[in-house]
Amino acid sequence: MGRHRFGRQSIGQSIGRLISGLILGCTILITLASLAQGQPAQQSQYSINSQVPFNQPDYYPIQQTVSSNLYYPTKEWLGRLILPTIAEYQQDTSTSDWCWIELYQTPATDQDLLGKRVKLTWQQIPELQNYVKKVTVDVQFTAAAQRSQQAGNVLPERLNGRSRVGPLQSLAGARPKDDLIVGLDSVKIVPGATPPVLQINRDPLQVTGRYVGLLEILKSTGEADPFVPVCPAGSPCPGSFFLARHYNPQSGQFDGPQGTIYIPQQPPSPRGVFPSTSSYIENSPEGRAGWYLYGAQNQNGVFTVEAIKPRQPFRLQPQTVILGRRQGLDYIKNQNWQDTETRKGTAQSVLVDPVAETIEAAIAQWKVGDYALVVHLFGGIGGEKAEPAPFGTVTGHFAYGIAQVIQDPFTNELKFNTLYEQVYAHNPNGIVAGSHTWSDFMGNLQRGWLGTRPVSDLLVKFEALTQNYDFDGLIFSPMEELLKELQVMTARYRTGDGKGVALVTPATSCVQDSNQALYITIEQIKQKFYSTPAIQQWLETHPDDPQTLRFQELVALGQDLRNKLAPGGWYAQTGRKMLSL
């Protein structure tokens, strides 16, 4: 896992290389799906994981007694989405899209809602209602959807045959069970509504764990896992209960209170691959700076870990700094993915700055509140139980996200908070297309990729895209526009545009559709700028203003993307042809 920040001079080139390097890998996924046709029904990894108690919502009581000095809520508003019955939905015609949410976290002013099942719907904003209307579909599974489900993929089977399925319903019904945990932002409570109604203005954020703590894992207690007695370490397993010690903000060390935590061993896949393991985690070199542990107390009052996140890679203290444009391009192109097998079990953070002359100046460019575009990549699973590699190629994945520099509530030091917008096809693990925290997509012990795949996140501080534009009070946010387009794309993926399944094909793939969303965002911003006389006049009268130069860079990025995405772009340049079925 690497983190790389790259300057704006070469953003088009770096994104272009990432696109061209991954389109072939994403395309091959459809070939693998077609090979599964005609085979006996396979059990999904999600189904296997759902059978153990610690992966079920009721394993964690709603009333928790964790110390507020040691653990913080993962979100102010947090809960479990519940799909309404068809009868419930037909009875309520007051809104076009809604679902239930069982609340696990609420603000101090709304503690009376804790543990209650309330209605979740959208704020009455015209642009927001247009989004809901755009992605609302009738769902009817096609033969392709049925074959995909037969092959072991998790499809929204409870939505099959439903009409008027909007983005909230497609989230709540994405899995066979009501077990999708989300955080909410910009919540409004409808006064006097019975039952209570919460309104939001953006898609819920998929999260793992009700609480997070910063701890050092000291040693295993040797107590065996009561539910999954097998583990990658062989038999007997070293145990899933650990003695851990909390971070102490007064001393800046891990000399706070200590106690026992439970890191469950997840069951293996049918191929014998474990999605994660806590075996010998106390010896991991990435644990020297501590771990963010996400979870909640179980029925016995023991803090049970549902996701982990190493602290070191997210600190604004890069382990390596590379200065210079040529050196930076060389690292991204040639060194970033070198020797991944020998780097197994490690993480690194690399700061690349093409302009700064000193390390101190490069680090000083990042301040609290700064945003970066996240370019997320992962590779294939190797080793003795490697993924199938037809034609010698292992599939990969591409996604965009947003990172912000924040102040760590535990340590007060600066760190990156990373969120993903995952344009993700239906899969055996129950990963749902949409907005994810890093800990939910990467660190989740059931379906995160932290323990099984090589991953690289590039945090690109490209101010033409990451900063707002202010034309004498007319404000535009490219990042907000990008989020909106990606949410449209992910909502469409969740229902397969009503067909029940999102398959990766030569026309639809993680990289193609993520970059289509970015391209559409830039084109819409250009259209707004060019069609607004006040902005046109501002640009003409301020030709050398930094804001004007940023806009020109944004236009250039749009053209670079067009060259890569449109026919006659990458495929024409390389002479390659897309796979056909």
Side-chain angles (χ1 to χ4, degrees):
M1 180 178 61
R3 171 171 291 100
H4 316 283
R5 278 79 72 182
F6 201 65
R8 60 189 181 187
Q9 286 91 334
S10 302
I11 177 64
Q13 297 177 36
S14 60
I15 291 179
R17 288 191 177 96
L18 293 172
I19 296 169
S20 59
L22 278 172
I23 284 181
L24 180 62
C26 288
T27 304
I28 290 176
L29 279 173
I30 189 62
T31 304
L32 297 177
S34 67
L35 294 177
Q37 298 173 14
Q39 300 296 320
Q42 298 181 32
Q43 189 178 22
S44 69
Q45 183 66 43
Y46 167 82
S47 176
I48 295 171
N49 291 342
S50 297
Q51 296 173 19
V52 291
F54 50 73
N55 289 333
Q56 300 170 12
D58 59 7
Y59 183 73
Y60 306 93
I62 290 177
Q63 296 297 331
Q64 297 274 311
T65 58
V66 299
S67 170
S68 59
N69 294 325
L70 303 177
Y71 296 97
Y72 297 141
T74 49
K75 292 288 289 184
E76 189 175 47
W77 289 96
L78 182 138
R80 176 173 65 99
L81 297 186
I82 300 173
L83 182 67
T85 65
I86 294 177
E88 287 174 330
Y89 199 74
Q90 290 176 343
Q91 289 172 2
D92 190 339
T93 59
S94 61
T95 182
S96 58
D97 179 45
W98 66 275
C99 68
W100 300 111
I101 182 170
E102 183 179 66
L103 292 171
Y104 295 156
Q105 297 282 12
T106 61
T109 54
D110 300 292
Q111 287 293 294
D112 58 312
L113 296 178
L114 184 66
K116 290 187 177 180
R117 190 179 77 158
V118 304
K119 184 178 177 181
L120 180 65
T121 187
W122 301 98
Q123 295 174 15
Q124 297 300 311
I125 301 172
E127 185 179 13
L128 192 58
Q129 294 301 318
N130 288 338
Y131 155 65
V132 174
K133 183 178 180 180
K134 181 186 297 185
V135 299
T136 295
V137 294
D138 297 338
V139 178
Q140 190 66 49
F141 277 23
T142 62
Q146 294 168 356
R147 289 194 299 268
S148 178
Q149 194 168 31
Q150 185 88 353
N153 290 315
V154 180
L155 270 60
E157 57 187 39
R158 294 185 294 162
L159 301 179
N160 189 18
R162 289 203 180 200
S163 59
R164 298 187 299 119
V165 174
L168 285 178
Q169 272 201 89
S170 68
L171 269 176
R175 297 182 189 140
K177 300 180 180 181
D178 292 321
D179 57 6
L180 194 75
I181 310 300
V182 299
L184 310 175
D185 291 308
S186 303
V187 174
K188 290 185 177 180
I189 302 176
V190 177
T194 305
V197 177
L198 306 183
Q199 293 181 334
I200 53 177
N201 62 8
R202 66 174 54 191
D203 280 5
L205 176 67
Q206 297 177 52
V207 304
T208 297
R210 302 182 199 176
Y211 298 92
V212 57
L214 178 57
L215 298 92
E216 177 186 34
I217 298 175
L218 300 176
K219 63 179 180 179
S220 170
T221 65
E223 185 177 352
D225 196 303
F227 302 112
V228 183
V230 295
C231 64
S235 182
C237 294
S240 295
F241 292 84
F242 295 85
L243 188 65
R245 190 159 47 204
H246 288 267
Y247 180 85
N248 181 354
Q250 280 71 44
S251 65
Q253 304 294 326
F254 289 93
D255 56 11
Q258 65 181 34
T260 299
I261 60 172
Y262 175 34
I263 309 179
Q265 175 57 64
Q266 295 290 332
S269 71
R271 292 194 300 114
V273 176
F274 289 85
S276 63
T277 181
S278 59
S279 298
Y280 305 114
I281 190 174
E282 67 272 24
N283 298 328
S284 170
E286 295 309 316
R288 294 168 187 161
W291 303 93
Y292 296 104
L293 302 181
Y294 298 79
Q297 289 174 323
N298 64 13
Q299 296 163 350
N300 296 321
V302 178
F303 189 83
T304 303
V305 178
E306 299 173 81
I308 64 173
K309 179 179 177 180
R311 173 190 173 203
Q312 179 57 47
F314 296 89
R315 304 169 74 185
L316 196 58
Q317 298 177 20
Q319 295 159 304
T320 304
V321 177
I322 298 175
L323 304 179
R325 182 175 183 272
R326 181 180 60 81
Q327 293 87 341
L329 281 172
D330 176 69
Y331 178 83
I332 292 175
K333 180 180 178 181
N334 300 315
Q335 301 176 44
N336 185 30
W337 289 96
Q338 277 187 353
D339 303 321
T340 53
E341 291 185 10
T342 62
R343 292 154 65 184
K344 181 179 179 180
T346 66
Q348 63 181 28
S349 58
V350 180
L351 172 60
V352 177
D353 194 311
V355 177
E357 296 182 355
T358 65
I359 293 176
E360 293 75 16
I363 296 175
Q365 294 296 316
W366 297 86
K367 297 178 174 60
V368 172
D370 283 355
Y371 283 97
L373 177 70
V374 177
V375 181
H376 169 78
L377 298 167
F378 72 52
I381 297 175
E384 296 178 358
K385 300 176 181 178
E387 290 179 300
F391 317 114
T393 302
V394 177
T395 56
H397 176 63
F398 178 105
Y400 282 124
I402 294 176
Q404 186 181 23
V405 179
I406 65 170
Q407 200 162 26
D408 189 305
F410 294 99
T411 67
N412 287 323
E413 65 185 4
L414 299 187
K415 72 170 187 177
F416 290 102
N417 181 42
T418 300
L419 306 178
Y420 295 123
E421 297 297 325
Q422 290 291 345
V423 178
Y424 213 92
H426 291 101
N427 56 89
N429 304 295
I431 298 171
V432 178
S435 304
H436 294 255
T437 61
W438 190 98
S439 54
D440 183 71
F441 183 78
M442 281 295 301
N444 184 290
L445 299 183
Q446 291 187 61
R447 52 188 166 265
W449 300 120
L450 180 63
T452 53
R453 295 183 184 275
V455 178
S456 175
D457 281 356
L458 283 79
L459 276 62
V460 186
K461 192 179 182 183
F462 182 54
E463 295 177 348
L465 184 65
T466 58
Q467 282 194 2
N468 290 352
Y469 291 84
D470 186 350
F471 301 101
D472 294 333
L474 292 173
I475 300 175
F476 291 92
S477 171
M479 295 298 275
E480 284 293 328
E481 294 299 320
L482 177 59
L483 281 176
K484 293 175 185 177
E485 289 302 323
L486 287 169
Q487 287 181 355
V488 169
M489 197 69 73
T490 56
R492 294 178 60 190
Y493 263 61
R494 288 196 293 271
T495 63
D497 274 339
K499 298 176 182 179
V501 63
L503 293 172
V504 180
T505 72
T508 58
S509 68
C510 55
V511 61
Q512 184 80 6
D513 288 332
S514 294
N515 282 285
Q516 286 283 5
L518 177 58
Y519 175 71
I520 292 170
T521 297
I522 296 172
E523 288 300 301
Q524 288 182 339
I525 292 174
K526 286 167 55 180
Q527 184 178 5
K528 285 183 180 179
F529 284 11
Y530 291 146
S531 62
T532 306
I535 295 178
Q536 278 290 90
Q537 183 178 3
W538 195 99
L539 292 171
E540 292 174 1
T541 56
H542 300 80
D544 299 321
D545 190 273
Q547 189 166 247
T548 303
L549 299 180
R550 283 197 285 121
F551 175 61
Q552 293 171 356
E553 289 179 322
L554 190 65
V555 172
L557 173 58
Q559 187 58 51
D560 287 340
L561 285 170
R562 181 179 178 84
N563 292 339
K564 298 298 180 184
L565 294 171
W570 179 74
Y571 287 107
Q573 295 168 14
T574 61
R576 295 182 184 270
K577 295 182 179 180
M578 287 190 266
L579 297 181
S580 59
L581 302 179

